[in-house]
Amino acid sequence: MNDLDLLPEPNDAFEIASVRLTVDLQALADNWREMARRSGMARAAAVVKADAYGLGLEDCGTTLYEAGARDFFVAVAQEGVTLRAYAPEARIFVLSGIWPGQERMFFENDLVPVLASEEQLAFWMGVIAEFGDYPCALQVDTGFNRLGLPLADALALAEDVSRPASFSPVLVLSHLHSGDTPSAPSNKLQLESFQQVTAAFEGIESSLSASAGIFLGQDYHFDLTRPGIALYGGEAVNGAKPLRAVATAEGRILQIREAQKGETVSYGATHQLARPSRLAIASVGYADGYLRSLSGSGIPLRGDGSHGAFGFIAGKRVPVVGRVTMDLTIFDVTDVPEQHIHTGDYIELFGPNISLDEVARAGGTIGYEMLTSLGLRYERRYLEAAD
């Protein structure tokens, strides 16, 4: 008998992980249905780029498809290839468009390229001249100065009687640059520009609004909306209450230690304790996407003295103290009764008690980056949707 045979079998990997992530697929499905409701007469797509905002394309894509989504947006073609297995009857739009050498990938997986430049448009004309009619979408820049044909060029294309008859976009779209700020005057300016586009491409479906734009009202909905961050529990509009939390990230406490008033904490000794304290050292750091800028001190970007992030355990908010390091973060748990916290327990990093966007703001960023920066070390658990 090997000595290893005497050891107990490992527990469930999630229960013993150093860092772990729970993804509530029921909340994801409910959030999509809510955004579909808010989209009024428009259909609601689902944006699943960047591995479904870091939460897993396979599980999230399947859940959204089963919830009723039939239009999806990905960033690159390979994401669309992966998604096709889980959304067999969906239209899948690829926002980065198509380039030479990708034709087979698009055709075999029934992906719809979103053409966003004169170069892509010219290439696509050659593709359809050789292979015949195939659906595409056309992105128009209405003031973002990112991807998209300039407005004047798009209007000229619509009126160009010499364009191939086989050029048949199934969707024209644009993107609001300040949709998360409802009072921004640019929203109405972009809306007016896009209305010119939809009039020029009469009879072709149109889409302007991602998550934030949906909240601007019916005028911004057109035929298809493109909710993204709102589906995953992030704030779509600055300062507005998000929908249901989908992701809960937790770090395991490796040690609880006593420290005296006047002692310092973590690299650079940037935090000095103002009282006798109990410190919980959690197994999470910037290698796990828990950003160094979430540190409780020693961050030049927060020279104004504002606090860093908080965690949550045993009903209490607990602040990060000192600098976040690659694999470890220190929380001040002095105010948590000793009998309610032990080594091996988990501190919530963000989730239902500490919102994703609160943590993001503490780190000087946004919820999008927090989710898409999740590292490879998280053990994941998916809570299945009921239907």
Side-chain angles (χ1 to χ4, degrees):
M1 177 182 291
N2 190 303
D3 288 345
L4 291 178
D5 294 333
L6 301 175
L7 296 174
E9 287 294 322
N11 295 322
D12 178 74
F14 185 82
E15 298 299 329
I16 61 174
S18 294
V19 284
R20 62 190 194 181
L21 182 74
T22 301
V23 180
D24 186 342
L25 296 176
Q26 183 64 61
L28 175 67
D30 289 347
N31 287 350
W32 181 81
R33 293 187 182 103
E34 175 62 16
M35 295 305 286
R37 184 189 70 78
R38 290 176 181 268
S39 296
M41 298 297 292
R43 294 193 322 281
V47 181
V48 293
K49 59 186 181 177
D51 196 33
Y53 286 53
L55 300 186
L57 182 57
E58 175 181 347
D59 292 274
C60 293
T62 300
T63 297
L64 291 164
Y65 185 76
E66 291 177 350
R70 289 297 179 268
D71 297 274
F72 288 82
F73 287 83
V74 297
V76 297
Q78 189 54 54
E79 293 175 334
V81 173
T82 301
L83 176 63
R84 176 54 71 199
Y86 310 110
E89 301 298 325
R91 285 197 307 182
I92 301 174
F93 294 91
V94 179
L95 290 164
S96 63
I98 185 171
W99 293 99
Q102 294 184 323
E103 298 94 326
R104 180 180 292 275
M105 185 184 301
F106 273 80
F107 293 159
E108 289 183 347
N109 294 281
D110 194 20
L111 307 179
V112 182
V114 178
L115 309 177
S117 69
E118 291 289 355
E119 293 85 356
Q120 286 189 338
L121 191 61
F123 169 66
W124 185 250
M125 293 299 190
V127 170
I128 58 178
E130 181 175 356
F131 296 101
D133 190 12
Y134 191 84
C136 68
L138 187 67
Q139 183 162 356
V140 181
D141 176 43
T142 54
F144 203 131
N145 270 321
R146 198 172 63 168
L147 288 178
L149 288 181
L151 178 62
D153 291 356
L155 297 178
L157 176 65
E159 297 172 0
D160 185 359
V161 295
S162 66
R163 74 184 191 194
S166 55
F167 175 66
S168 54
V170 296
L171 184 73
V172 291
L173 67 150
S174 191
H175 194 60
L176 298 168
H177 60 69
S178 297
D180 57 358
T181 307
S183 61
S186 59
N187 291 327
K188 191 167 189 302
L189 294 175
Q190 284 193 263
L191 173 63
E192 292 170 350
S193 293
F194 192 61
Q195 287 169 333
Q196 295 182 56
V197 175
T198 60
F201 288 91
E202 186 179 2
I204 295 174
E205 288 192 335
S206 53
S207 177
L208 176 62
S209 291
S211 291
I214 294 171
F215 290 90
L216 294 177
Q218 181 178 341
D219 288 348
Y220 290 81
H221 293 168
F222 293 90
D223 298 298
L224 184 70
T225 62
R226 311 188 305 271
I229 190 63
L231 304 182
Y232 306 99
E235 285 183 11
V237 177
N238 292 332
K241 187 177 185 298
L243 303 184
R244 292 182 59 188
V246 172
T248 301
E250 298 171 294
R252 196 170 202 185
I253 297 173
L254 301 182
Q255 183 183 31
I256 299 174
R257 61 186 305 125
E258 305 285 339
Q260 301 306 309
K261 177 179 179 180
E263 292 183 355
T264 60
V265 181
S266 197
Y267 281 126
T270 59
H271 180 82
Q272 186 173 45
L273 296 173
R275 61 177 178 173
S277 302
R278 280 183 298 117
L279 306 176
I281 293 81
S283 181
V284 64
Y286 54 76
D288 307 295
Y290 201 66
L291 308 174
R292 188 174 183 272
S293 56
L294 296 170
S295 300
S297 59
I299 300 300
L301 290 174
R302 284 210 315 278
D304 60 356
S306 58
H307 64 76
F310 285 81
F312 188 88
I313 188 168
K316 298 282 188 180
R317 292 167 58 91
V318 292
V320 173
V321 290
R323 286 177 174 157
V324 173
T325 66
M326 183 183 291
D327 314 298
L328 301 169
T329 298
I330 304 169
F331 294 86
D332 185 336
V333 296
T334 309
D335 295 330
V336 180
E338 288 189 51
Q339 67 271 26
H340 292 165
I341 185 170
H342 306 90
T343 57
D345 290 348
Y346 288 89
I347 290 180
E348 179 185 312
L349 308 173
F350 60 78
N353 300 294
I354 301 287
S355 78
L356 169 69
D357 290 279
E358 177 192 336
V359 177
R361 279 190 287 271
T365 186
I366 55 178
Y368 301 75
E369 186 178 24
M370 291 295 300
L371 287 180
T372 58
S373 297
L374 293 169
L376 298 175
R377 297 191 292 207
Y378 286 89
E379 186 68 35
R380 293 173 177 235
R381 175 179 64 178
Y382 290 89
L383 304 180
E384 297 297 327
D387 48 28

